[in-house]
Amino acid sequence: PEAKIVKTRFCKAIINSKAALSYAEAQARIDDMSDQSKLTASLRELNRLAKLIRAERIRKGALELASQEVKFELDSETQDPTDVAEYTLRETNKMIEEFMLLANQAVATRILEHFPMFGVLRRHPEPKSDMLDTLASLVEKHGINGFKHKSNKELSESLSRAVKPDDPYFNQLVRMMATRCMNQAVYFCTGEMDPALYGHYGLAMERYTHFTSPIRRYADVLVHRLLAASLGLSSLPEQLQSKPVIREQCD
């Protein structure tokens, strides 16, 4: 009930899917209180747990940065864009995000334990302090004092306080400017990096990788191979037993 992880299990499995839902469809089920079906009850419970997990991440210093997402409508025949609009983020988007982050984090821990020299993780270095100093000076001119940023937790709390009652868009603007201060997250070979530098600043996680999207990211394919080898389902490919080769893949 408190969203604490009590056990993690990895296995080769087949997903028995009960429904194929878009984010909007899942959100509509959650919001429709007349729907008391077992499927919808499960969605509501997952959403409740996701909110607790997210709150704990933010408490530890995870950042909520703003980036505008848009969607295009295409002509059915020519596929030319006919309209553009802001993409609506729903609670269900965040729900899926939280459980994907958990899966990525769990896999990162697993492959690091089994292949400490050849793991493929993703790190997010600390942001550019001079740019954050500039941002602090800018918000101070708008009456926001004490904008601290010596750690991700301090920055997260400062961003939450950067609010102007008469300007509902001010906080979003500050978060967008903070995004520009961030360094790029990068893939790396664990055997070539000091463990003290493994952490992901933006997510407030000590270990992180990309596992959940092998159909669109090659890094996830490498991670799947490492995970399969850790489970004894296959041998570790030769190219994943060479730090220079892994480094080249990560770059």
Side-chain angles (χ1 to χ4, degrees), residues 90-121:
R90 301 173 173 84
E91 283 188 355
T92 45
N93 291 84
K94 294 181 179 180
M95 177 179 77
I96 296 300
E97 178 187 14
E98 289 306 319
F99 290 111
M100 289 178 70
L101 291 176
L102 275 184
N104 287 336
Q105 185 182 36
V107 171
T109 301
R110 171 86 185 190
I111 63 176
L112 183 60
E113 288 174 351
H114 285 76
F115 306 110
M117 290 293 103
F118 306 120
V120 176
L121 301 189

Side-chain angles (χ1 to χ4, degrees), residues 43-175:
L43 288 171
R44 291 191 182 114
E45 179 64 6
L46 284 173
N47 195 38
R48 185 188 71 82
L49 292 172
K51 288 179 180 179
L52 292 174
I53 295 167
R54 190 178 189 86
E56 179 62 13
R57 279 202 310 111
I58 292 173
R59 187 192 68 78
K60 291 180 178 178
L63 302 179
E64 290 189 293
L65 302 175
S67 59
Q68 194 90 9
E69 289 192 48
V70 296
K71 62 178 181 178
F72 292 91
E73 290 189 12
L74 306 178
D75 184 280
S76 59
E77 295 183 1
T78 66
Q79 294 300 299
D80 291 332
T82 59
D83 194 16
V84 61
E86 184 178 354
Y87 181 76
T88 302
L89 284 175
R90 301 173 173 84
E91 283 188 355
T92 45
N93 291 84
K94 294 181 179 180
M95 177 179 77
I96 296 300
E97 178 187 14
E98 289 306 319
F99 290 111
M100 289 178 70
L101 291 176
L102 275 184
N104 287 336
Q105 185 182 36
V107 171
T109 301
R110 171 86 185 190
I111 63 176
L112 183 60
E113 288 174 351
H114 285 76
F115 306 110
M117 290 293 103
F118 306 120
V120 176
L121 301 189
R122 187 163 174 83
R123 60 185 290 266
H124 184 209
E126 294 184 0
K128 309 172 184 72
S129 59
D130 57 334
M131 294 182 68
L132 284 174
D133 288 337
T134 301
L135 177 58
S137 298
L138 286 172
V139 298
E140 187 173 351
K141 292 178 180 179
H142 287 269
I144 309 294
N145 297 315
F147 191 93
K148 299 179 181 180
H149 53 81
K150 291 190 180 297
S151 68
N152 51 2
K153 185 172 177 60
E154 276 195 356
L155 177 58
S156 178
E157 292 171 349
S158 294
L159 289 171
S160 296
R161 291 194 301 267
V163 175
K164 294 178 72 174
D166 59 338
D167 186 350
Y169 297 105
F170 181 76
N171 185 260
Q172 184 178 8
L173 177 60
V174 173
R175 290 180 187 274

Side-chain angles (χ1 to χ4, degrees), residues 31-43:
D31 294 339
D32 182 5
M33 298 313 297
S34 67
D35 186 348
Q36 297 298 319
S37 65
K38 187 175 180 179
L39 174 62
T40 300
S42 296
L43 288 171

